[in-house]
Amino acid sequence: MKPLFALSWPCVCVCLALTVAPFWSSSADAVEIETADDIQIYTLKNDSGMTVRVTNYGAIIMSIVVPDRDGKMADVALGYNDIASYTNAVDKPYFGAVVGRYGNRIAKGKFTIDDQEYTLAINNPPNSLHGGIIGFDKVIWDGKVDDEANAVTLSYLAKDGEEGYPGNLNCSVTYRLTDDNAIEVDYFATTDKATPINLTQHTYFNLKGEGEGTILEHELMINARRYTPVDETLIPTGKTPAVQGTPFDFTTAKPIGRDIAADNEQLKFGGGYDHNWVLDKGGQTGEMTLAATVYEPTSGRVLEISTTEPGIQFYSGNFLDGRLTGKSGKKYVHRGGFCLETQHYPDSPNQPTFPSTILEPDDEYETKTVFKFTTR
Ligand code: BGC
């Protein structure tokens, strides 16, 4: 296994680009673009003054600036102002990135398709996490702006055998900012060999503003009556028990911190919440459903997440520990951000009872997630 801190070629390109080349700005069109060599940073703005900054490095959302109930703006996404800080961050937290080819864990880095066993790097022992050592969060995507739609599409060709996965996978993610303060995220992919795929967005939110303490007082509702408990290595057991009567019951909104310290084996395994919920789809598999709502009482900001996906990973920022200092110079404390990653369930390629994540050559992978911001 390669050491985690090894510099990959994309990292080297990025570091060079950032040390030798200034960024050039162009703002004649709706979407503002800053360019330095292969790296672009796109700023989407809407009529309500909301802005979203996105880069083609890792398809990362670098910032989301939204109003509170009094119209005061704050950046609610953890991360950095420059690409080098993303590549240098200790423990690689995947701030804002698209993770792939397979978001979350595959047990022991192994799966079998059509009697052929595939082996992935064990980058989160004893498992493979978030697509491997150089996942989609650490590669350079091709960017294309659609000014009329106020959108940017990022495309990436993952080669057959890259990180151990089969098939040339052509994929894209489109970020569109609407005038009603929603970020629409559309994923699309095709392959020339059957492959697992599970793309998701790994933004860490703090609706008070990035760096403004913990997220424990945020009130979370997850539209799910079941979840997928895990073993001590965070691989699902395959069961989907009811959340009712457990700390995992977010069917009615409650502060994230209310039950997080409960004496519960699952919470011990995750160091807090780090689990997948089975969304209540009302029989509407593949249709948009409300997956989660988060309300932050001091600012009044509300985040509503809808998706076509069957699951959502709620990760309460358990591995943040104050070592990382974010874009405005504030430390990212333990549980200083949460992720709500719409997805298929972890380890699906090895779990026959979970919805399939195998994309066949004659199929199209198409999923959608919307992050909508309002206030209360
Ligand atoms: C995973 C966590 C992991 C985090 C950062 C989340 O999606 O569920 O276990 O630590 O990403 O890598």
Side-chain angles (χ1 to χ4, degrees):
M1 192 184 106
K2 280 193 241 167
L4 275 177
F5 52 81
L7 276 185
S8 61
W9 69 264
C11 300
V12 173
C13 295
V14 168
C15 296
L16 285 177
L18 289 167
T19 45
V20 300
F23 270 83
W24 298 102
S25 272
S26 90
S27 58
D29 296 309
V31 180
E32 192 177 299
I33 311 174
E34 297 162 67
T35 302
D37 286 351
D38 285 347
I39 303 300
Q40 277 95 40
I41 297 176
Y42 304 91
T43 304
L44 308 175
K45 297 181 185 158
N46 72 5
D47 287 349
S48 327
M50 175 173 169
T51 63
V52 179
R53 261 181 122 212
V54 166
T55 174
N56 66 325
Y57 177 72
I60 290 172
I61 295 183
M62 298 172 73
S63 74
I64 302 174
V65 177
V66 280
D68 69 5
R69 62 163 79 86
D70 301 319
K72 195 165 153 250
M73 304 301 263
D75 184 349
V76 297
L78 276 61
Y80 302 107
N81 290 322
D82 62 287
I83 309 301
S85 299
Y86 285 95
T87 64
N88 295 336
V90 284
D91 289 347
K92 303 287 175 266
Y94 303 87
F95 284 152
V98 165
V99 291
R101 181 179 304 206
Y102 197 94
N104 214 285
R105 290 173 179 79
I106 295 187
K108 304 202 168 59
K110 290 209 185 292
F111 61 89
T112 300
I113 301 178
D114 298 334
D115 295 331
Q116 165 133 20
E117 187 179 71
Y118 295 92
T119 302
L120 311 171
I122 306 300
N123 60 336
N124 186 243
N127 303 315
S128 174
L129 175 68
H130 291 337
I133 292 171
I134 305 173
F136 292 3
D137 60 295
K138 297 181 191 68
V139 297
I140 298 176
W141 300 56
D142 285 330
K144 194 165 178 279
V145 166
D146 180 344
D147 275 309
E148 219 158 286
N150 206 20
V152 56
T153 295
L154 303 167
S155 309
Y156 179 65
L157 169 64
K159 298 265 171 53
D160 187 10
E162 190 172 313
E163 287 294 334
Y165 288 94
N168 291 294
L169 182 79
N170 243 310
C171 58
S172 69
V173 54
T174 299
Y175 294 117
R176 183 169 102 86
L177 177 60
T178 69
D179 278 334
D180 62 351
N181 288 359
I183 306 169
E184 295 185 354
V185 188
D186 285 277
Y187 303 91
F188 183 80
T190 54
T191 181
D192 58 6
K193 270 188 203 162
T195 178
I197 177 170
N198 192 28
L199 303 181
T200 189
Q201 227 299 324
H202 209 290
T203 292
Y204 289 63
F205 298 95
N206 184 326
L207 299 181
K208 279 189 274 188
E210 56 83 31
E212 296 295 334
T214 79
I215 45 76
L216 295 173
E217 310 282 300
H218 286 52
E219 294 171 18
L220 170 66
M221 185 285 294
I222 305 179
N223 189 13
R225 280 168 294 174
R226 300 187 169 275
Y227 78 120
T228 56
V230 290
D231 67 15
E232 64 280 8
T233 74
L234 302 187
I235 293 295
T237 60
K239 302 200 175 88
T240 56
V243 293
Q244 201 181 14
T246 77
F248 292 83
D249 189 352
F250 286 91
T251 51
T252 305
K254 68 176 178 188
I256 290 172
R258 181 175 293 171
D259 297 328
I260 204 168
D263 185 13
N264 174 283
E265 185 180 55
Q266 285 298 313
L267 287 171
K268 287 201 184 94
F269 288 162
Y273 295 105
D274 192 355
H275 296 77
N276 171 74
W277 271 252
V278 175
L279 292 172
D280 288 349
K281 302 289 282 191
Q284 303 293 300
T285 311
E287 297 293 308
M288 282 304 266
T289 348
L290 179 67
T293 304
V294 193
Y295 168 63
E296 197 289 299
T298 59
S299 65
R301 290 192 184 90
V302 177
L303 167 61
E304 268 173 31
I305 303 177
S306 310
T307 188
T308 57
E309 289 281 23
I312 193 164
Q313 183 85 9
F314 167 43
Y315 168 57
S316 50
N318 311 318
F319 296 114
L320 296 176
D321 58 6
R323 276 183 300 160
L324 296 175
T325 298
K327 56 190 126 185
S328 56
K330 294 176 198 138
K331 283 195 186 315
Y332 291 152
V333 297
H334 187 221
R335 302 193 175 132
F338 64 87
C339 302
L340 283 165
E341 303 154 65
T342 55
Q343 61 178 13
H344 274 57
Y345 316 158
D347 195 38
S348 294
N350 296 309
Q351 305 263 357
T353 61
F354 288 177
S356 171
T357 48
I358 305 300
L359 179 67
E360 300 286 344
D362 48 1
D363 281 350
E364 291 180 340
Y365 174 89
E366 213 171 349
T367 75
K368 186 180 187 83
T369 294
V370 176
F371 299 92
K372 184 167 168 31
F373 294 87
T374 57
T375 58
R376 220 187 263 168

